[in-house]
Amino acid sequence: TQLLEQSPQFLSIQEGENLTVYCNSSSVFSSLQWYRQEPGEGPVLLVTVVTGGEVKKLKRLTFQFGDARKDSSLHITAAQPGDTGLYLCAGAYGNKLVFGAGTILRVKS
Amino acid sequence: NAGVTQTPKFRILKIGQSMTLQCTQDMNHNYMYWYRQDPGMGLKLIYYSVGAGITDKGEVPNGYNVSRSTTEDFPLRLELAAPSQTSVYFCASRRQGGQPQHFGDGTRLSIL
């Protein structure tokens, strides 16, 4: 059974601070996706990383896929209140995704 | 483009009742999925389908059934509702080739 452990579960920071969310597994995934979810809505894809060691940037967000394709991280620089939400990592295997438990991020102004 | 549409948005059921959660997508995606999301637990896969007429169990299929008679629709059926099925249910779809999943806005189901 593929499992993804996501940490931390909850993060409350001040505007302007940096943060990193981690996603770890003992399983190898063909790709890893990061989603953001707001209350009352479904998850929305932020990025997909496919190659071991890959780094992708999306404005102030930096995503990294581990060399062995078992782990990933999301780093946010100078967090803004608009970054508040639930961040989910999801590993792809076969036709399915396995999701981490999510990180609730609250950015206070 | 509507994307993935789920109905109803909210529902309260009594224990033992049955209901069908509807999901339809207008993107001609082959792959469709049903998840449940419980607080602090992420999304758990209930059932999925790789095309019309083909369905398969996910991680937590007990107490649910699905059918896929058309490419567009993927309804989820609860036959005998139990309090443990109180959750938020999400439907998603995607194209072939490792493309990301597109999610609906969810159905919030309470069983009392």
Side-chain angles (χ1 to χ4, degrees):
Chain A
T1 303
Q2 284 78 3
L3 291 173
L4 267 175
E5 294 184 358
Q6 193 172 338
S7 62
Q9 282 188 301
F10 182 77
L11 205 50
S12 181
I13 60 173
Q14 291 293 134
E15 182 177 2
E17 292 184 2
N18 301 332
L19 68 113
T20 302
V21 178
Y22 299 93
C23 192
N24 296 294
S25 177
S26 58
S27 302
V28 176
F29 295 102
S30 56
S31 69
L32 201 135
Q33 301 171 9
W34 285 91
Y35 291 82
R36 180 165 171 260
Q37 185 180 14
E38 301 207 34
E41 299 180 5
V44 176
L45 181 75
L46 294 173
V47 78
T48 301
V49 285
V50 179
T51 306
E54 183 176 4
V55 176
K56 281 191 174 179
K57 291 192 175 184
L58 187 66
K59 297 184 180 177
R60 293 175 293 101
L61 279 61
T62 302
F63 303 85
Q64 188 162 5
F65 201 12
D67 290 341
R69 291 188 289 131
K70 294 182 179 180
D71 55 87
S72 182
S73 63
L74 157 61
H75 182 78
I76 301 179
T77 303
Q80 304 294 313
D83 295 327
T84 293
L86 174 66
Y87 290 81
L88 295 159
C89 63
Y93 67 103
N95 294 318
K96 297 177 280 189
L97 287 178
V98 60
F99 281 83
T103 295
I104 299 172
L105 173 63
R106 181 185 172 201
V107 183
K108 296 175 283 187
S109 57
Chain B
N1 207 352
V4 179
T5 303
Q6 292 184 239
T7 57
K9 292 190 184 303
F10 304 95
R11 185 72 184 268
I12 298 175
L13 282 182
K14 293 183 179 179
I15 294 171
Q17 286 186 319
S18 61
M19 78 163 293
T20 300
L21 282 67
Q22 301 292 344
C23 175
T24 187
Q25 52 92 10
D26 61 359
M27 298 174 282
N28 201 33
H29 287 172
N30 287 330
Y31 295 80
M32 295 189 74
Y33 302 82
W34 273 107
Y35 296 91
R36 58 177 289 171
Q37 185 176 36
D38 301 317
M41 299 294 290
L43 281 83
K44 300 290 186 184
L45 182 64
I46 304 171
Y47 270 96
Y48 69 103
S49 169
V50 300
I54 306 169
T55 62
D56 208 346
K57 295 178 180 179
E59 191 179 354
V60 289
N62 291 342
Y64 307 94
N65 278 300
V66 293
S67 59
R68 185 95 183 272
S69 55
T70 67
T71 298
E72 295 78 18
D73 301 307
F74 191 39
L76 178 71
R77 177 95 178 149
L78 282 72
E79 290 294 349
L80 289 170
S84 61
Q85 293 177 305
T86 293
S87 189
V88 182
Y89 291 84
F90 286 98
C91 179
S93 72
R94 71 171 177 89
R95 296 183 189 283
Q96 289 179 301
Q99 295 300 309
Q101 296 185 14
H102 298 259
F103 286 82
D105 285 338
T107 293
R108 280 148 188 78
L109 181 63
S110 293
I111 297 158
L112 306 174

